[in-house]
Amino acid sequence: MIKLTDVNACYQDFHVLKNVSLAVEKGQIVVMLGPNGHGKSTVLKAICGLVKKVSGLIRFEGENITGLGSEKLVDMGITYIAENRELFPQMSVLENLKLGAYSRSARAFEKKNLEKVFDLFPRLRDRQSQLASTMSGGEARMLAIARGLMSNARFLAIDEPSLGLQPNLRDEVAKIIKQINGQGITLLVVEQNIPQITELADTLYVLEEGRISFEGSKEDALGNDHLKEIFLGM
Amino acid sequence: MVIEIADVIISGLINGSVYALMAVGLTLIYGVSKAFNFAYGSFYSLGGYIAFLLFGLSFINNYFLVFLLAAPILLVFGFFVEKVLVAPLRKRDDWEIKVMMITLGLALFLDNSFQVIFGSRMKSLPPFLEGGFEGGNFYLSHQDVGIFFLSIGGILLFRWFLNNTRTGMSVRAVAQNPAGAQIVGIPKEFVFAATFAISTVMVGMGGILLAQKYFITPMGGWDILVKAWVITAFGGMGSIRGGLYAAFIVGMLEAFVGWYFGMTWTLIVLFAVLLTTLAVRPQGLLGKWG
C-alpha cells in the first residue's frame, strides 16, 4: 500500500533520512522502533507530505506521491497523527473533529465518521462542546486520534501515541489501535513504550541514525541481540 | 451640557463601531499569517474611491448597489495582492520584514495613484440616509445610526463566517495552529490569501462608511492605518475580541478628547494611552505572549 524506496529527507541543512526503504501492506500494522531523534517522526511526516525536502520514491497504491503536499495526500486517504497532537486549542472537541473531515473526500462521510469516532471514544461524545485546550493529556490524545480518523483515511501514520499518556492508559491505546486496524485501516505506528503495540505488529522496522537497521517479524527481532537491547532498554 | 455629552458618546460609539470593523480585519491578518499590512490604510481610501467611481455610473443611485459591487471588487483586489506580492515572499526566511516593506511600497504606490487619477482635492460621497431624530437641542442623524448598525452587522456577519463556514473554520484553524491545519489538509496558502482578501473588504467598507462623514483624500488612509494599528496593539495583536474592546475605547477616547481639548490632541492622547498600556501589559488588553 505504502512503499518507500531510497527516501532521503532534510530539514534545512540537516540530512535526517538516508536511503530509507520500507513497505506497508494493505491491512497491516507496521511498527517502527528506534532511539529518539533518529528520524522516526520524519519518516511518517515525509509520507504524509509534511517535510519540504524529500527525494527518492514514495508510492501509495502504486502511484508516485513523492513531493505532494498534505492537502492532496489527506484527500487521497493518507493522514498523520502527530506525537504532540497539534489540536486547535481554542476550538471545541466537535470543531476539532469537523476540521479533521476538512478534505473534499472526507466531507461526504463526516456524519458517519463522527458516529464511528464517538462509538470508539464515548468520552468525546460527552465532551463535544469542551475546548480542546482544557482537556487532559489522555483525552487530548484520544481527540488527536479521533480527528485523524475523521479524514476517512485508508492509511494512518500514528506518531508516538504514548507521549504524555499516563501508563494506565497505554492498554487502552493499544486496544484502540487494534480496533482501528480491524476497520480495515492500514497503520504505520512509531511507538516503543507500549509493548502491547509491538505485539500487534505484522512487521517491525528499526531506524537508527536515519537508516533502517532492521526489518522483520517480532520473532526475528527477539532473536536479535542488538534489538533485544533496545527492547530491554525500554 | 448633558446633550453635548450625549453627542460625544454617540460620536464615539459610531466611530468606534467602524474602527472595530477595520481593526478586526487588521488583527485577523496578523493573527492568521503574522504579517503586518502597511497598505491597510490605502485600502481604506480605495474603498472610498471605488464608491465614488460607482456613484459616477448612471445606473447606480443607492448604497445597496454600491456595497453589492464594491465588496467583490475589494475581495478580488485583496486576493490578487496577496497572491502576487505577499505570497512569494513567504518562502524566504525574513519574510515578515519584507512583507512590511512591500506593503509600505504598495501604500505609497496606491496613494500616489489616487492623487494622479482623482486629484488631491477631497471627494465626497452622498449621505447614506437623509434626515434624523430630533428632540429639543438633540439631533441624531439617520446616517450615523445607519453607519453604526452596518458596522456592527459587518462584524456579526464576519463572526458568523468564522464560526459557521468551512473557510471560516479553516481561517481559525490556521490562526490557532498552523501545523495542525496542515495535518488535516487545510491549504494554508489559500487561507492566507482569503484572509487578506476578507480584511481588504472590511477596511474598504469602513472607508465607504466613513467617507460620507470625513471625505476621501489620497493620503487619508494613513490616519486610519495609525488608528487601526493603535487599536490592534492596544487590544492585543491577533486577538479579535481585544480589538473590538479597544476600538470602542479608542472611539470614545477620541470623541471625549476632541470635545474637551480639541481634535489636535486626539492622536497624542491615543499614543499616551497606548504606551502606558503597553508599558504595563506589553501583550495588550487581551493578547497572549509569544
Side-chain angles (χ1 to χ4, degrees):
Chain A
M1 187 171 212
I2 287 274
K3 200 163 191 287
L4 276 67
T5 317
D6 291 334
V7 168
N8 286 270
C10 304
Y11 284 122
Q12 269 106 33
D13 296 327
F14 191 57
H15 194 171
V16 184
L17 299 184
K18 293 155 190 161
N19 296 322
V20 169
S21 297
L22 64 83
V24 185
E25 300 302 329
K26 197 173 159 71
Q28 278 191 335
I29 300 182
V30 172
V31 174
M32 201 187 314
L33 308 164
N36 285 329
H38 284 223
K40 293 178 311 245
S41 291
T42 309
V43 173
L44 302 191
K45 287 182 180 169
I47 295 172
C48 298
L50 299 165
V51 180
K52 273 186 196 149
K53 288 186 192 163
V54 180
S55 62
L57 182 63
I58 305 175
R59 273 180 296 182
F60 175 61
E61 296 180 332
E63 199 176 326
N64 182 359
I65 57 164
T66 324
L68 290 184
S70 59
E71 303 129 59
K72 281 238 176 69
L73 295 173
V74 173
D75 203 33
M76 290 170 80
I78 301 173
T79 298
Y80 175 69
I81 296 174
E83 53 185 331
N84 44 5
R85 306 186 289 257
E86 304 290 6
L87 298 170
F88 305 115
Q90 297 305 313
M91 289 195 202
S92 68
V93 167
L94 187 63
E95 285 178 309
N96 269 280
L97 291 174
K98 280 186 167 174
L99 279 166
Y102 181 88
S103 79
R104 212 168 286 271
S105 60
R107 277 173 216 179
F109 301 97
E110 190 182 301
K111 275 221 172 86
K112 205 184 92 197
N113 282 331
L114 202 57
E115 275 310 306
K116 254 195 202 169
V117 158
F118 282 152
D119 287 343
L120 202 57
F121 305 103
R123 277 283 263 297
L124 296 181
R125 191 197 295 273
D126 304 333
R127 298 180 176 221
Q128 288 179 49
S129 53
Q130 192 180 333
L131 285 187
S133 60
T134 63
M135 302 186 97
S136 72
E139 292 163 349
R141 172 64 58 200
M142 300 303 158
L143 180 55
I145 296 175
R147 190 183 68 180
L149 286 170
M150 289 299 292
S151 70
N152 210 36
R154 284 175 291 151
F155 172 82
L156 280 179
I158 308 181
D159 205 350
E160 295 229 30
S162 75
L163 203 75
L165 217 58
Q166 290 172 307
N168 57 6
L169 286 173
R170 289 176 179 177
D171 256 340
E172 201 177 331
V173 170
K175 240 191 332 198
I176 280 160
I177 283 180
K178 197 175 174 186
Q179 274 176 303
I180 293 172
N181 183 243
Q183 294 174 0
I185 299 173
T186 309
L187 299 174
L188 175 55
V189 186
V190 165
E191 183 56 74
Q192 49 194 355
N193 296 319
I194 309 185
Q196 297 94 315
I197 290 180
T198 317
E199 279 300 307
L200 296 172
D202 294 297
T203 312
L204 285 173
Y205 282 93
V206 176
L207 191 78
E208 284 176 291
E209 291 174 8
R211 295 174 206 277
I212 299 283
S213 61
F214 172 84
E215 173 189 355
S217 66
K218 287 159 284 194
E219 293 73 25
D220 297 340
L222 286 172
N224 182 318
D225 283 344
H226 171 60
L227 281 184
K228 250 187 178 166
E229 208 181 290
I230 293 184
F231 283 120
L232 295 173
M234 289 192 297
Chain B
M1 181 71 178
V2 176
I3 286 173
E4 260 182 69
I5 289 180
D7 275 344
V8 171
I9 291 177
I10 287 165
S11 148
L13 274 178
I14 289 160
N15 284 350
S17 67
V18 186
Y19 293 165
L21 181 69
M22 297 190 288
V24 163
L26 191 65
T27 205
L28 174 74
I29 311 183
Y30 183 79
V32 171
S33 65
K34 304 286 173 280
F36 191 82
N37 177 12
F38 258 103
Y40 203 62
S42 303
F43 294 173
Y44 166 88
S45 310
L46 181 70
Y49 281 118
I50 288 175
F52 177 76
L53 281 179
L54 288 172
F55 271 114
L57 300 172
S58 56
F59 63 94
I60 287 177
N61 51 12
N62 64 53
Y63 267 96
F64 180 70
L65 275 177
V66 169
F67 285 132
L68 209 64
L69 291 171
I73 295 173
L74 289 162
L75 193 74
V76 171
F77 175 80
F79 198 88
F80 182 74
V81 165
E82 206 281 343
K83 278 287 178 211
V84 174
L85 293 180
V86 181
L89 297 178
R90 225 183 279 284
K91 296 183 181 75
R92 296 163 175 266
D93 290 339
D94 52 350
W95 62 274
E96 287 104 330
I97 302 278
K98 292 202 165 101
V99 168
M100 281 192 204
M101 308 254 282
I102 205 158
T103 52
L104 183 61
L106 177 68
L108 297 175
F109 172 78
L110 282 175
D111 290 355
N112 286 291
S113 307
F114 296 150
Q115 186 134 11
V116 171
I117 299 168
F118 300 98
S120 49
R121 269 216 248 144
M122 292 180 185
K123 298 279 182 265
S124 61
L125 293 181
F128 161 70
L129 289 167
E130 307 275 354
F133 304 101
E134 271 176 89
N137 288 329
F138 178 75
Y139 181 79
L140 174 60
S141 72
H142 288 155
Q143 183 192 13
D144 280 350
V145 177
I147 290 174
F148 179 79
F149 282 108
L150 277 179
S151 303
I152 299 297
I155 294 166
L156 291 177
L157 186 71
F158 173 66
R159 201 185 115 106
W160 178 86
F161 162 79
L162 281 185
N163 287 331
N164 296 292
T165 68
R166 208 166 199 95
T167 310
M169 274 175 70
S170 64
V171 168
R172 285 162 64 214
V174 174
Q176 289 181 20
N177 186 349
Q182 204 184 354
I183 287 171
V184 299
I186 290 170
K188 263 200 289 186
E189 299 297 320
F190 170 76
V191 169
F192 288 149
T195 309
F196 202 92
I198 292 162
S199 76
T200 305
V201 174
M202 293 173 98
V203 73
M205 288 296 172
I208 300 176
L209 291 174
L210 285 189
Q212 306 161 46
K213 297 179 72 178
Y214 302 115
F215 307 105
I216 316 158
T217 57
M219 304 294 160
W222 291 102
D223 188 41
I224 293 298
L225 175 71
V226 170
K227 277 179 196 157
W229 191 84
V230 167
I231 291 167
T232 307
F234 184 34
M237 297 294 274
S239 163
I240 287 178
R241 198 142 50 98
L244 283 179
Y245 294 147
F248 282 101
I249 294 173
V250 165
M252 282 295 173
L253 208 60
E254 200 180 59
F256 272 98
V257 170
W259 168 64
Y260 204 81
F261 299 104
M263 286 310 274
T264 42
W265 285 92
T266 52
L267 270 187
I268 299 170
V269 173
L270 283 188
F271 273 102
V273 170
L274 174 69
L275 291 177
T276 316
T277 310
L278 294 188
V280 184
R281 268 184 79 83
Q283 70 272 43
L285 289 179
L286 293 179
K288 288 191 193 113
W289 281 105

